[in-house]
């Protein structure tokens, strides 16, 4: 399989093929994928639980590997969910960044972590 120039498209194509080879497409409904995504996010968060900040110096190699694998799971389910929902993730990110730029003007919020509704 030749890799498209867009890595998200490459991941999407590989995930489609992986699911097709296993006849799993029938199970990959948006609801099921959203639920699986939330579980993987929780598994990612578990690696950081009880650490002071989660900074690199607080992690050993086993923890780093676990985080790397959970991040991969999160991305795979996210890409698969977007695919099954007809969402172009690249376009969605650009759209959302523009909305965020309007809600959080840099000159007004620089260094301020409050939510847009609090300033």
């Amino acid at each position: 399989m030749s890799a498209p120039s867009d890595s998200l498209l490459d991941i999407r194509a590989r995930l489609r093929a992986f699911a097709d080879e296993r006849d799993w497409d029938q199970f990959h409904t948006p609801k099921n994928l959203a639920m699986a995504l939330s579980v993987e996010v929780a598994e990612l968060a578990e690696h950081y639980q009880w650490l002071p900040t989660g900074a690199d110096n607080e992690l050993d190699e086993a923890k780093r590997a676990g985080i790397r694998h959970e991040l991969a799971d999160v991305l795979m389910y996210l890409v698969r969910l977007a695919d099954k929902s007809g969402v172009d993730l690249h376009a969605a990110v650009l759209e959302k960044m523009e909305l965020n730029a309007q809600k959080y003007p840099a000159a007004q919020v620089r260094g301020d972590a409050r939510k847009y509704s609090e300033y």
Side-chain angles (χ1 to χ4, degrees), residues 22 30 41 56 59 78 81 95:
R22 290 155 180 80
V41 169
D56 193 55
L59 307 171
L78 178 64
L81 176 58
E95 178 184 356

Side-chain angles (χ1 to χ4, degrees), residues 1-3 5 20-21 23 26 30 35 38 44 49-50 66 68 73 76 84 86 89 94 98 104 111-113 116-117:
M1 171 185 319
S2 67
S5 60
D20 286 346
E21 290 169 355
D23 192 27
Q26 61 184 314
M35 292 176 69
S38 71
L44 173 62
Q49 189 174 17
W50 311 122
R68 185 171 59 250
D73 285 340
M76 289 188 293
K84 297 297 283 190
L89 282 173
L94 295 179
E98 179 58 35
Y104 298 99
D112 189 342
Y116 68 91
S117 59

Side-chain angles (χ1 to χ4, degrees), residues 85-101:
S85 300
V87 172
D88 175 337
L89 282 173
H90 184 263
V93 166
L94 295 179
E95 178 184 356
K96 185 61 178 176
M97 287 183 73
E98 179 58 35
L99 292 171
N100 285 344

Side-chain angles (χ1 to χ4, degrees), residues 43-44 46-48 51 56 58-70:
E43 290 177 2
L44 173 62
E46 189 174 24
H47 286 283
Y48 293 103
L51 296 177
D56 193 55
E58 298 171 9
L59 307 171
D60 60 19
E61 194 48 45
K63 197 65 109 168
R64 283 187 197 91
I67 289 167
R68 185 171 59 250
H69 295 159
E70 294 306 334

Side-chain angles (χ1 to χ4, degrees), residues 101 104-111:
Y104 298 99
Q108 185 175 358
V109 303
R110 183 175 304 282

Side-chain angles (χ1 to χ4, degrees), residues 4 7 16 18-19 28 31-33 45 57 66 75 79 81-82 95 108 119:
S7 61
R16 282 179 181 174
F18 189 89
H28 288 182
K31 180 212 53 114
N32 287 349
L33 292 166
N57 64 342
L75 180 60
V79 169
L81 176 58
E95 178 184 356
Q108 185 175 358
Y119 59 86

